[in-house]
């Protein structure tokens, strides 16, 4: 994500497009000196076989050029330099963040239900992600940017934790509870569609415990093949 600068002066905001806040960034405010322009601006335009000079007084502006209009005539003019002015500038940079994404699950060629869990994280401004650590229900899972969970025949959920490190040494972590419904063969069961109801989901490794009732919108469903 590129560095974003925001200027508090209402007039100076005309120089930059509006920018919304990003989810993972740190912003600081400082004063900077910027050029300002003001005075009589003039230019010439050709009309009816002759050159016509247009002139207009420009108040305080942060742009060195303006367009002057007189009836149907117009031309671009230079605005005289008038010095500098201090304005507040807000600088925002991306900070490291950890985020988890889960793909739809499927059944492999030996009958195991598979779901892929991936990092959707971001490094500090100007850095790259260099390390990953995963835990599933408290047990260490691995250090790649993604991994697969498999061989779950019933609906289940898993508490997945991710810690990421970037090239500056900064770290971030997040935990997500993921609800998975089992893959069934194409054309039967719940293959490919969530519906609008609720699903009974049990924690992996605790199939003898009471299920959690989960709304369809929160469940990762199987794809159809």
């Amino acid at each position: 994500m590129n560095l974003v600068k925001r200027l508090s002066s209402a007039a100076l905001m005309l120089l930059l497009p509006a920018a919304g806040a990003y989810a993972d960034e740190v912003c600081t405010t400082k004063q900077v000196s910027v050029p300002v322009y003001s005075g009589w601006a003039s230019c010439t335009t050709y009309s009816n076989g002759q050159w016509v000079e247009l002139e207009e007084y420009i108040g305080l502006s942060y742009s060195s050029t303006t367009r002057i209009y007189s009836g149907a005539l117009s031309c671009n003019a230079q605005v005289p330099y008038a010095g500098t002015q201090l304005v507040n500038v807000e600088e925002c940079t991306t900070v490291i963040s950890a985020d988890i994404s889960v793909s739809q699950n499927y059944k492999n060629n030996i009958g195991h239900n598979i779901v892929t869990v991936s990092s959707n994280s971001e490094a500090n401004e100007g850095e790259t992600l260099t390390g990953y650590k995963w835990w599933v229900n408290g047990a260490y899972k691995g250090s790649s940017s993604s991994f697969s969970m498999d061989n779950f025949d019933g609906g289940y959920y898993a508490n997945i934790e991710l810690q990421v490190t970037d090239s500056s040494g900064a770290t971030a972590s997040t935990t997500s509870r993921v609800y998975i419904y089992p893959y069934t063969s194409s054309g039967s069961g719940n293959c490919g569609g969530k519906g609008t109801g609720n699903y009974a989901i049990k924690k992996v490794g605790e199939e003898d415990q009471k299920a959690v009732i989960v709304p369809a919108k929160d469940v990762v469903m199987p794809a159809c093949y």
Side-chain angles (χ1 to χ4, degrees), residues 199-217:
Y199 292 85
I201 308 290
K202 293 185 176 183
K203 185 175 181 180
V204 60
E206 298 182 4
E207 287 77 11
D208 58 336
Q209 301 298 313
K210 185 177 181 180
V212 175
I213 305 302
V214 182
K217 66 180 181 63

Side-chain angles (χ1 to χ4, degrees), residues 11-205:
L12 193 55
M13 284 295 289
L14 297 175
L15 297 178
L16 297 176
Y22 294 102
D24 299 288
E25 64 181 14
V26 172
C27 299
T28 58
T29 301
K30 66 179 182 180
Q31 283 196 322
V32 297
S33 179
V34 298
V36 291
Y37 305 86
S38 181
W40 285 99
S42 63
C43 57
T44 57
T45 183
Y46 196 75
S47 177
N48 296 326
Q50 61 182 351
W51 289 98
V52 179
E53 183 177 21
L54 306 182
E55 189 176 42
E56 181 180 345
Y57 185 82
I58 306 299
L60 190 65
S61 170
Y62 295 96
S63 175
S64 63
T65 61
T66 189
R67 190 158 187 89
I68 299 175
Y69 295 88
S70 178
L73 303 179
S74 67
C75 55
N76 292 324
Q78 294 291 318
V79 183
Y81 175 73
T84 61
Q85 178 176 310
L86 288 175
V87 296
N88 290 328
V89 177
E90 186 179 45
E91 293 186 346
C92 298
T93 58
T94 303
V95 297
I96 188 170
S97 63
D99 191 35
I100 295 169
S101 64
V102 182
S103 68
Q104 286 187 313
N105 66 95
Y106 63 94
K107 185 170 288 188
N108 67 11
N109 58 4
I110 59 173
H112 288 192
N113 281 298
I114 306 293
V115 63
T116 301
V117 181
S118 303
S119 166
N120 189 27
S121 307
E122 193 162 13
N124 276 326
E125 187 84 37
E127 306 293 337
T128 57
L129 292 174
T130 57
Y132 307 85
K133 291 182 179 179
W134 296 93
W135 293 264
V136 177
N137 296 327
Y140 182 70
K141 184 68 177 179
S143 59
S144 60
S145 60
S146 64
F147 67 93
S148 295
M149 296 188 294
D150 67 354
N151 208 26
F152 299 104
D153 295 326
Y156 72 95
Y157 71 85
N159 294 320
I160 301 174
E161 181 181 355
L162 167 64
Q163 182 185 83
V164 293
T165 304
D166 72 10
S167 50
S168 71
T171 62
S173 60
T174 188
T175 301
S176 179
R177 175 173 285 187
V178 180
Y179 300 96
I180 312 294
Y181 205 80
Y183 175 91
T184 55
S185 60
S186 179
S188 64
N190 291 283
C191 177
K194 288 186 179 183
T196 58
N198 296 325
Y199 292 85
I201 308 290
K202 293 185 176 183
K203 185 175 181 180
V204 60

